[in-house]
Amino acid sequence: GVALFDADTPDGGALVVKVFGRDAWDGQFLASIWTAMWRRGERPRLGTGRLARVEHEAVATLMAERAGVPVLPVVAVGRSIDGDALLVTAATGRPFAHLAPDAIDDALLRSTWTTLSDLHRLGIAHGRIDGERIVLRLDGTAALADFGEATVAATFGDLMTDRARLLVTTALATDQDRAVAAASAVIGPAGLVELLPYLQPAVLGRSTRRVLAEGDWSLTDLVGAAVAAAGVEQPKPLRIQRVTLRSVATMLLLAGVTYFVISKLVNVDLEAIWGEIANADTVWLVAALLLAPVVQVSMSASTMGASIAPLRFFPVLMLQYAVQFIALTLPSTAARLALEVRFFERFGIAPGAALSMGVIDSLSGFVVQIAVILLITLSSLPGLTSSIVTDSSSTDQASTDSGPGLVALVLVLVVIGLLTAVVVPRLRHRLLTAIPRARDAVRDQLGEVRGAMTVLRRPSKVTQMLGGNLGAQVLQAIVLGLCLQAFGADAHLAQLILINTLVSLFAGLMPVPGGMGVAEAGYTAGLQAIGVPSAIAVSTAITFRLVTFYLPPLWGGFSMRWLRRHSYV
């Protein structure tokens, strides 16, 4: 959107004229929105006009030049008769992208880092470092060009982004080892460590990514060279992209759930649903609301069973209510594990053992869920395809057909997951690199982990964990049955347990806080599968989630405050 013209001065000098027309504002508008959507920490800049953009670039360039930073000097700023904004700078250098590798010596590479460091000391981030904006001046030193995206009073992330881009730019102009050596010579190993989390494709410009893709080395190779030069372990990349494969998968999942819910509601009269809720038996709903907090009593027994240290019951109960509070912002499994680890540490348990105990507690719940599903589906107990209508022949037939199909589906999903992890290169590489790290972590904290594992050799502890989780599943199923009874329907307890367990397991694995949307759709589908009318199924799912998920954070907030006040978290 910015037109560039070469110009000559009467004395033979070279100039570059930048013309900002209406299309330049349009380009800025779209690029600003796109960048803000793509990268964290970016804000759309929508109110900057053409002349304001020229003035901003001129001021940033003059500030850098005044402080002695090598730049391409500003010659003139103005407006054309057609209303276009103009910026004229001297053209006294050749871009790095146009230089041969042997034309760039080590002194010039170090000069680029010195120039950028001088700019950063002013608190200014360039914002567009690439092979076109780093130029070789006639005196053999490096200079910066094009301050159109410069940020005055830049953040730490802006400065590190500049550094990461410069490292990639100099590596593309020469080679990895020379680029890393020049950076280390100027900013030191500590400076390399600071920029490493930003050394990722998301911070690079489009042209740099294109040149990098055409090269004979990858960004992973450059990261490895920088890690070796800094003498540290490779840090985790900073989360810069808003849009990732995981976020896209989450969006698709939510879209699928939304479509599923809508398809279930297509033939349901919304007025009928509201009528069911309005005419619900409040006695049953109050009973469900009063019984729902008792579920955490059973969960507390499981947590106490997983602990190698003696715990007091009331703080553990407050912990379970606090988990419901933070589950609104984190997936419930992750929320529970993180809070439990912190809670165990407050009792003097080492971090490795605390993490192991949290994992053991969560794993015992998973084992109970799988066991319940297999028990109901493989036995003669009523299952999902067993109608609640009292027709013995059809019910028995549906029940016998439900088990093997569900087990086969679970096995197919497990096989697909394993094949995906093996076939997809990125997942396979992540899995193979995670195994050594996990082995090293376990080796470092082996004594603590062994201490935590002693609970698995104590039958009373194992019984307490499994019994607590089983009790929680049964109590939740009873609450679901009370909500169903409030709308005049009924179901077998085995069916309610199966529905609740399947939905809890599936929603807990989804990257959606609290399984919102996923759980409601699951309960609706499960109840419809056993013959509950659609209007009653939707109403029951809504009220059940209300009393077990959306209302508990009210008292969960008080529990979290109590835990903090008494230094338990």
Side-chain angles (χ1 to χ4, degrees):
V2 178
L4 297 178
F5 296 90
D6 294 327
D8 298 322
T9 63
D11 58 359
L15 302 174
V16 174
V17 181
K18 299 177 69 174
V19 182
F20 295 78
R22 174 175 295 180
D23 56 343
W25 187 90
D26 295 339
Q28 178 215 7
F29 180 85
L30 296 176
S32 179
I33 292 179
W34 173 255
T35 304
M37 292 174 57
W38 185 260
R39 289 184 53 192
R40 298 175 182 273
E42 294 283 348
R43 293 182 176 86
R45 290 167 285 183
L46 309 179
T48 304
R50 285 168 281 178
L51 187 59
R53 288 194 63 190
V54 168
E55 292 172 344
H56 172 79
E57 182 172 348
V59 169
T61 306
L62 292 172
M63 288 178 63
E65 184 180 14
R66 182 177 179 181
V69 179
V71 298
L72 300 187
V74 174
V75 176
V77 174
R79 186 193 296 268
S80 71
I81 58 176
D82 296 326
D84 298 327
L86 307 176
L87 175 68
V88 184
T89 60
T92 58
R94 296 177 59 196
F96 265 42
H98 301 168
L99 297 176
D102 55 3
I104 305 175
D105 57 21
D106 294 339
L108 179 57
L109 288 178
R110 291 192 294 270
S111 175
T112 61
W113 284 98
T114 302
T115 297
L116 186 64
S117 298
D118 292 340
L119 180 68
H120 287 177
R121 274 192 285 272
L122 300 176
I124 300 176
H126 185 277
R128 275 189 178 178
I129 298 292
D130 60 19
E132 296 291 339
R133 273 80 182 188
I134 303 292
V135 299
L136 172 63
R137 298 195 300 183
L138 298 178
D139 59 1
T141 60
L144 299 175
D146 188 2
F147 281 75
E149 296 296 327
T151 303
V152 181
T155 64
F156 179 78
D158 295 330
L159 303 181
M160 292 304 104
T161 297
D162 272 359
R163 285 187 177 184
R165 290 175 173 176
L166 179 59
L167 183 59
V168 175
T169 298
T170 53
L172 289 173
T174 55
D175 60 63
Q176 304 170 56
D177 295 333
R178 291 180 59 194
V180 171
S184 181
V186 177
I187 64 176
L192 280 177
V193 173
E194 289 180 333
L195 72 83
L196 280 174
Y198 294 84
L199 199 56
Q200 51 184 293
V203 306
L204 305 178
R206 182 184 305 172
S207 60
T208 303
R209 290 197 301 268
R210 183 172 61 251
V211 175
L212 184 61
E214 297 172 353
D216 55 359
W217 54 269
S218 66
L219 194 58
T220 303
D221 300 327
L222 181 59
V223 171
V227 167
V232 297
E233 293 185 0
Q234 182 174 337
K236 292 183 179 180
L238 194 69
R239 292 187 62 188
I240 294 177
Q241 287 181 261
R242 295 183 190 272
V243 181
T244 61
L245 291 177
R246 180 176 180 178
S247 64
V248 171
T250 302
M251 182 185 67
L252 293 176
L253 173 64
L254 292 176
V257 171
T258 302
Y259 174 79
F260 177 78
V261 173
I262 291 176
S263 64
K264 291 294 181 182
L265 296 178
V266 167
N267 298 322
V268 178
D269 187 0
L270 294 180
E271 293 184 0
I273 296 176
W274 176 249
E276 292 286 351
I277 296 177
N279 297 325
D281 191 333
T282 55
V283 175
W284 291 107
L285 293 181
V286 171
L289 182 61
L290 294 177
L291 183 60
V294 182
V295 176
Q296 277 61 50
V297 175
S298 187
M299 296 297 294
S300 300
S302 173
T303 301
M304 295 180 70
S307 175
I308 58 176
L311 302 177
R312 295 169 54 201
F313 174 75
F314 188 74
V316 176
L317 181 60
M318 293 296 102
L319 171 69
Q320 299 302 328
Y321 292 139
V323 169
Q324 293 185 296
F325 174 71
I326 64 173
L328 283 176
T329 58
L330 293 171
S332 57
T333 304
R336 179 180 178 183
L337 182 59
L339 199 60
E340 283 184 354
V341 168
R342 184 61 176 166
F343 181 81
F344 288 141
E345 288 179 343
R346 289 298 189 178
F347 281 86
I349 300 174
L355 179 60
S356 300
M357 289 160 53
V359 171
I360 291 171
D361 191 12
S362 298
L363 184 61
S364 65
F366 178 75
V367 169
V368 167
Q369 289 177 326
I370 297 299
V372 167
I373 293 174
L374 293 177
L375 175 64
I376 296 177
T377 54
L378 297 178
S379 67
S380 59
L381 292 173
L384 284 181
T385 58
S386 302
S387 175
I388 61 174
V389 180
T390 57
D391 185 352
S392 58
S393 60
S394 61
T395 300
D396 294 339
Q397 180 65 30
S399 178
T400 56
D401 292 341
S402 64
L406 184 59
V407 174
L409 177 60
V410 173
L411 293 176
V412 168
L413 292 177
V414 171
V415 172
I416 291 176
L418 293 176
L419 290 177
T420 303
V422 173
V423 174
V424 178
R426 177 175 295 182
L427 294 178
R428 184 174 65 249
H429 175 73
R430 183 176 299 178
L431 181 62
L432 293 178
T433 55
I435 292 175
R437 288 200 301 267
R439 186 174 59 246
D440 294 340
V442 170
R443 186 185 300 115
D444 294 339
Q445 300 179 349
L446 189 57
E448 301 171 0
V449 173
R450 285 175 177 170
M453 293 296 180
T454 56
V455 299
L456 299 179
R457 296 195 294 268
R458 298 171 61 181
S460 60
K461 288 286 189 179
V462 175
T463 302
Q464 196 173 3
M465 285 188 291
L466 298 180
N469 282 289
L470 179 60
Q473 295 295 323
V474 174
L475 287 172
Q476 286 180 327
I478 294 175
V479 174
L480 178 61
L482 294 175
C483 293
L484 183 62
Q485 189 71 42
F487 298 100
D490 196 3
H492 195 281
L493 180 60
Q495 294 175 315
L496 298 174
I497 294 176
L498 182 59
I499 293 172
N500 177 74
T501 305
L502 284 172
V503 175
S504 299
L505 180 62
F506 181 71
L509 296 176
M510 293 297 102
V512 182
M516 289 185 287
V518 178
E520 286 81 355
Y523 286 116
T524 300
L527 291 172
Q528 287 179 329
I530 62 174
V532 176
S534 298
I536 296 179
V538 174
S539 304
T540 302
I542 293 174
T543 54
F544 176 71
R545 288 285 286 172
L546 186 66
V547 300
T548 59
F549 180 73
Y550 295 106
L551 289 180
L554 294 178
W555 49 85
F558 291 103
S559 301
M560 177 69 79
R561 202 174 315 160
W562 186 90
L563 290 172
R564 288 175 175 168
R565 187 168 60 249
H566 292 81
S567 300
Y568 283 109
V569 294

